[in-house]
Amino acid sequence: MGERILTESLHGGAVLHLLLNAPPGNILDIAMISGLARILADRGGDPRLKAIMIEGSGPHFSYGASVQEHRPDKVAEMLSTFHALFRQLAGLDRILLAVVRGRCLGGGMELACFCHRVLASHDARLGQPEIHLGVLPPVASLILPRRAGQATADDLCLTGRTIDARQAAAVGIVDEVADDPRAAADAWIEEHVLPKSAAALKHAVCAVRHAWNREFFADLADVERLYLDDLMRTEDAVEGIEAFIAKRPPKWKDR
């Protein structure tokens, strides 16, 4: 098995390109998330670094977090590892871009929506399907109201439906829809990022998201406790995960 995350330094170290390399689904399991964290710890502090671009290998960005790791014996570790990645990304104070093709679901959509700019192909499909499994998306529950408004957050998190790139752009989840989102990301970086001072950008990112990050991570701790201490003690949460893994309809007990 090859490297699950491929890295490339672009523009003399100004841009770090991270390619999730586990197609077709590029599942964000603990191993993948930990690998991203190690790379960011090793390379994210380069003073030349202005932007980090995240892309999925193959036809899809990511199907999301590992469903198997939502089981009771793994879910606490999975959530802790995943949420720590967001704290790490925020602490780097670099411009974050997501290049999205195909399916961008669950934790994959959460990772994309945390970025400052999301560029998507016309065939992109975005959604938070967790409710179908009897669980909820902690990060999306907090990011989507801030990024796209409460009505959109209610819609996607409570119905679990998937929307296309055009719809996602209309509500502010996607910033640009393009035939080639990677080329569009490169063009945006060349026009808006590369001419700027890396030091100025770092401090500007810190300033513009100062209140956003403080409130988001305080709320995330609360929602994580809700997920682990309350939701995961219900019979339906366990049933939904097991039903998905077994590829059968869930049998809800409503408790």
Side-chain angles (χ1 to χ4, degrees):
M1 184 175 180
E3 292 293 325
R4 299 186 70 202
I5 304 165
L6 302 180
T7 65
E8 186 179 9
S9 182
L10 305 172
H11 303 289
V15 178
L16 175 61
H17 179 251
L18 303 177
L19 185 69
L20 308 178
N21 189 41
N26 298 315
I27 299 296
L28 295 167
D29 57 16
I30 292 171
M32 176 80 84
I33 299 164
S34 298
L36 285 168
R38 286 192 295 271
I39 292 167
L40 293 172
D42 182 53
R43 303 180 64 173
D46 188 333
R48 301 171 298 170
L49 186 62
K50 301 179 180 182
I52 298 170
M53 184 193 306
I54 305 172
E55 187 174 1
S57 179
H60 304 291
F61 183 75
S62 173
Y63 291 174
S66 166
V67 175
Q68 286 78 6
E69 290 177 354
H70 281 71
R71 283 171 159 159
D73 63 331
K74 275 287 187 182
V75 66
E77 180 185 1
M78 182 275 293
L79 275 188
S80 175
T81 304
F82 191 43
H83 294 171
L85 177 65
F86 290 92
R87 295 184 179 92
Q88 185 178 17
L89 287 167
L92 293 175
D93 293 325
R94 299 304 199 272
I95 294 176
L96 306 174
L97 300 96
V99 175
V100 173
R101 300 182 189 84
R103 297 182 195 172
C104 179
L105 305 174
M109 180 169 162
E110 290 176 320
L111 180 59
C113 285
F114 191 74
C115 293
H116 300 93
R117 189 163 184 83
V118 179
L119 304 103
S121 62
H122 293 280
D123 72 342
R125 298 293 182 270
L126 302 94
Q128 300 293 160
E130 287 85 350
I131 196 69
H132 295 303
L133 280 66
V135 293
L136 61 86
V139 173
S141 297
L142 302 174
I143 286 182
L144 288 180
R146 291 165 164 86
R147 185 178 184 102
Q150 189 64 52
T152 296
D154 292 347
D155 177 12
L156 298 183
C157 293
L158 300 181
T159 69
R161 74 186 186 95
T162 299
I163 59 176
D164 62 28
R166 177 187 57 80
Q167 293 169 309
V171 296
I173 293 172
V174 165
D175 297 292
E176 182 178 349
V177 181
D179 292 333
D180 185 342
R182 170 61 191 276
D186 288 334
W188 190 86
I189 288 171
E190 289 180 7
E191 180 177 358
H192 297 290
V193 176
L194 296 183
K196 311 292 194 309
S197 155
L201 283 173
K202 175 178 172 61
H203 288 87
V205 170
C206 179
V208 77
R209 284 213 171 179
H210 180 74
W212 195 98
N213 284 335
R214 183 183 65 245
E215 295 168 3
F216 171 73
F217 289 116
D219 291 343
L220 184 59
D222 291 339
V223 176
E224 183 175 320
R225 284 192 293 270
L226 171 70
Y227 193 109
L228 295 175
D229 296 344
D230 297 332
L231 175 63
M232 287 309 299
R233 292 182 180 178
T234 68
E235 294 182 51
D236 281 355
V238 176
E239 165 62 13
I241 298 299
E242 294 301 328
F244 181 88
I245 293 171
K247 299 181 180 179
R248 61 170 173 79
K251 298 176 181 178
W252 303 125
K253 294 185 177 180
D254 299 322
R255 63 185 183 211

